[in-house]
Amino acid sequence: MAPTKVLAGARVVLPTGTVDNGRVTVEGTRIVATAPADTSSAAPGTPENAETLDLSGHWLVPGFVDLHNHGGGGASFTSGTVDEVLKGIHTHRLHGTTTLLASTVTGDLDFLARRAGQLAELAEQGDIAGVHFEGPFISPCRKGAHSQELLREPDPAEVRKLIDAAHGRARMLTLATELPGGLDSVRLLAEQGVIAAVGHTDATYEQTVAAIDAGATVATHLFNAMPALGHRAPGPVTALLEDERVTVELINDGTHLHPAALRLAFHHAGPARVAFVTDAMDAAGFGDGRYMLGPLEVEVAHGVARLVEGGSIAGSTLTLDRALKRAVTVDGLPVEHAVAALSATPARLLGMDDRIGSLEPGKDADLVVLGADFTLKGVMRQGEWVVFPQLG
């Protein structure tokens, strides 16, 4: 059996708050204890052969959970081979994301159905938490980096086809709920236990309220690909922020959102209803250059991805460790709030908070070690180091 691992001395972010000089004990794949660190050489109940790692001067936080991720490391979750998809997953693990949904982009319906089946196999193996369909049921007025020729109105029968193709592993579908068939599709998704997400939408405030009442519970990258908040036409942003039933995604890369918009969302929704996401595409963790996002060509320059034709923002190159660091050092969020938006909130939304999302006994040993400046130093997934902490 693998020896017990004791991580001691860090500032540990627990559900109850931050513990200075804390201790987390890992046996096998699980956390077995969390507590303030014992000043003696071995805490009571700790095996003598335990491996103790001194993390003094560092932060210890839960592994990150990404609800919206299209790829990384040069690989696309929509079109890459199995090996390429696994490479993309590993790229994000190196940056602290221990759980993610694989997001697709708009494509031919039959192609997406086949792709869902392939991704479902990776979900069965535990490599991903499930599949998120972003499109094709979105508004041509707010299509962003989606091919207009492949967009469709949200026919519940076609929505059901994608759900069935994922063999129980469909977790979320983003759609423009104001389109014909939108509300019926939301009701179908809710009945099937799949998250209905409002996004790439041209809906009014009233139409968005109707979608929430029908069962929509997520705002896909709030503020982006939807009408701006107005004082006479409050639009979807207001409806999504004010309703306690809705979790809002935020892309905190400094490009998609002004810090004031992020703070506005936190002020109204709070960390229990905010989920930081990457909306990452192939270039995340890989570099600048030319890429394909579905059938569309993307130019990544200085870390910002834009369509070659038209210049629309095309996802991001963000990793969640950078989102956390920015949230604390630039946006001024309390560490505990930023950590909740990266872990506990998305885990709860996925119904996985009994296993992941916080550092508690009995949960998976998914955790991230950060330096005092919030730079990533180490990553553990299910008790194994993906990145062994570099503490020098």
Side-chain angles (χ1 to χ4, degrees):
M1 292 181 61
T4 299
K5 301 180 179 73
V6 178
L7 312 179
R11 301 190 72 186
V12 182
V13 179
L14 301 175
T16 53
T18 299
V19 174
D20 291 331
N21 194 27
R23 175 185 293 267
V24 173
T25 305
V26 173
E27 289 182 2
T29 63
R30 299 297 179 91
I31 296 169
V32 296
T34 60
D38 194 285
T39 55
S40 62
S41 59
T46 301
E48 291 184 3
N49 65 340
E51 295 178 352
T52 299
L53 184 63
D54 183 0
L55 296 177
S56 299
H58 292 74
W59 290 86
L60 193 60
V61 303
F64 309 144
V65 181
D66 195 353
L67 300 172
H68 190 157
N69 189 317
H70 296 280
S76 165
F77 295 156
T78 301
S79 58
T81 65
V82 170
D83 286 344
E84 288 170 341
V85 171
L86 291 172
K87 178 183 177 183
I89 294 166
H90 184 67
T91 296
H92 285 281
R93 285 183 186 167
L94 294 174
H95 292 274
T97 297
T98 50
T99 302
L100 63 79
L101 294 185
S103 303
T104 62
V105 296
T106 292
D108 174 81
L109 202 68
D110 289 335
F111 169 80
L112 290 176
R114 290 193 301 272
R115 192 63 182 174
Q118 295 163 349
L119 292 172
E121 293 181 12
L122 295 177
E124 290 285 347
Q125 296 169 192
D127 296 303
I128 60 175
V131 183
H132 164 218
F133 299 99
E134 188 180 21
F137 310 113
I138 61 175
S139 171
C141 301
R142 305 286 175 174
K143 66 182 186 300
H146 291 255
S147 173
Q148 182 156 342
E149 291 73 20
L150 295 172
L151 300 183
R152 312 168 75 92
E153 292 180 348
D155 180 343
E158 294 184 340
V159 170
R160 182 61 183 262
K161 177 178 179 177
L162 292 184
I163 295 172
D164 289 346
H167 307 301
R169 297 296 180 168
R171 304 304 297 271
M172 184 160 67
L173 188 147
T174 293
L175 71 164
T177 55
E178 77 278 7
L179 295 177
L183 293 183
D184 286 340
S185 295
V186 169
R187 295 185 187 101
L188 171 66
L189 291 165
E191 290 169 2
Q192 295 298 311
V194 178
I195 297 164
V198 178
H200 290 275
T201 176
D202 204 38
T204 64
Y205 172 86
E206 292 76 14
Q207 289 171 326
T208 307
V209 169
I212 298 168
D213 287 339
T217 57
V218 166
T220 294
H221 43 53
L222 187 74
F223 298 109
N224 290 279
M226 60 182 63
L229 188 155
H231 64 291
R232 293 193 183 94
V237 171
T238 302
L240 295 162
L241 277 178
E242 71 181 5
D243 198 299
E244 295 294 325
R245 295 170 289 182
V246 177
T247 300
V248 299
E249 294 181 353
L250 298 178
I251 307 171
N252 193 24
D253 61 353
T255 298
H256 282 80
L257 294 175
H258 190 283
L262 181 139
R263 290 192 293 269
L264 176 71
F266 263 91
H267 176 76
H268 285 277
R273 290 181 46 224
V274 172
F276 281 138
V277 299
T278 60
D279 194 15
M281 46 82 70
D282 312 19
F286 201 66
D288 291 352
R290 290 277 178 117
Y291 298 84
M292 298 301 295
L293 188 62
L296 304 179
E297 191 172 14
V298 175
E299 176 77 30
V300 179
H302 307 294
V304 178
R306 294 186 179 275
L307 290 181
V308 171
E309 184 175 342
S312 293
I313 295 175
S316 84
T317 63
L318 185 64
T319 52
L320 284 182
D321 58 328
R322 287 167 43 211
L324 171 58
K325 183 173 182 177
R326 181 178 177 86
V328 176
T329 63
V330 176
D331 304 312
L333 295 181
V335 176
E336 295 82 1
H337 289 185
V339 168
L342 286 160
S343 53
T345 298
R348 185 169 56 249
L349 183 71
L350 292 175
M352 299 177 69
D353 51 326
D354 60 331
R355 287 180 41 216
I356 62 172
S358 59
L359 301 180
E360 295 180 270
K363 293 194 177 183
D364 289 354
D366 294 352
L367 50 86
V368 177
V369 180
L370 304 167
D373 63 351
F374 298 97
T375 299
L376 185 140
K377 297 293 184 180
V379 180
M380 178 183 286
R381 183 175 188 270
Q382 296 184 358
E384 297 293 330
W385 290 110
V386 180
V387 178
F388 190 84
Q390 302 299 311
L391 306 178

